[in-house]
């Protein structure tokens, strides 16, 4: 009696790669976490801190996706599908920046008008006042 099992192409693709060293990847993730703590408590400008933390979080997410989710051993099309949300988030963030920056500008300058009104004791906003903000 022969005991042959049917092997699908997906099973062959998974059997072709060597098992990754999960302990080494865990150590890399731990080192990146320590670096995040160093960056968070370092006396650096806020923009550099945020950029560093986002970059380190992105590196950790890539490590987890590539090895623990086994995307490194999948076909390229699956990797492209996994990258689409990153592209969309980046695109939508840059599309919102002009709108968000004008809202911050309007609030900042509206506060100056309110302080000026308080200091002068009269209405200086004119016919197009934006008191609804």
């Amino acid at each position: 009696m022969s005991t042959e099992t049917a092997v699908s192409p997906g099973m062959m693709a998974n059997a072709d790669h060597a098992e990754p060293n999960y302990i080494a990847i865990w150590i890399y993730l731990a080192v990146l976490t320590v670096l995040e703590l160093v960056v968070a408590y370092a006396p650096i400008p806020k923009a550099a801190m945020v950029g560093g933390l986002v970059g380190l979080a992105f590196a950790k997410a890539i490590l987890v996706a590539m090895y623990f989710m086994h995307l490194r051993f999948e076909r390229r099309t699956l990797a492209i599908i996994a990258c689409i949300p990153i592209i969309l988030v980046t695109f939508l963030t840059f599309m919102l920046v002009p709108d968000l920056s004008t809202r911050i500008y309007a609030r900042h300058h509206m506060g100056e008008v309110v302080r000026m009104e308080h200091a002068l004791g009269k209405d200086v906003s004119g016919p197009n006042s934006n008191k609804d903000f």
Side-chain angles (χ1 to χ4, degrees):
M1 278 203 343
S2 163
T3 57
E4 294 191 24
T5 58
V7 179
S8 68
M11 292 173 75
M12 282 297 267
N14 291 336
D16 289 343
H17 67 83
E19 190 74 19
N21 187 355
Y22 291 114
I23 300 298
I25 296 164
W26 184 84
I27 291 171
Y28 294 148
L29 291 171
V31 167
L32 287 173
T33 302
V34 169
L35 283 174
E36 283 179 338
L37 290 171
V38 167
V39 168
Y41 290 109
I44 57 176
K46 203 65 134 166
M49 180 188 309
V50 169
L53 289 174
V54 168
L56 288 168
F58 188 70
K60 286 171 63 173
I62 293 234
L63 272 175
V64 168
M66 295 301 278
Y67 290 101
F68 290 112
M69 296 172 66
H70 300 279
L71 287 180
R72 186 176 192 314
F73 309 110
E74 294 293 334
R75 294 185 178 163
R76 294 285 177 214
T77 54
L78 186 61
I80 292 170
I81 291 170
C83 290
I84 288 174
I86 295 169
I87 294 167
L88 284 175
V89 166
T90 305
F91 174 73
L92 292 174
T93 299
F94 284 117
M95 293 303 290
L96 282 174
V97 166
D99 183 49
L100 294 176
S101 63
T102 58
R103 289 177 186 265
I104 292 169
Y105 178 80
R107 284 186 185 160
H108 175 69
H109 289 289
M110 191 180 116
E112 288 179 2
V113 170
V114 170
R115 284 192 296 265
M116 194 182 308
E117 285 177 352
H118 186 275
L120 295 175
K122 61 181 181 176
D123 185 23
V124 295
S125 58
N128 293 330
S129 66
N130 291 326
K131 294 190 181 223
D132 295 342
F133 282 104

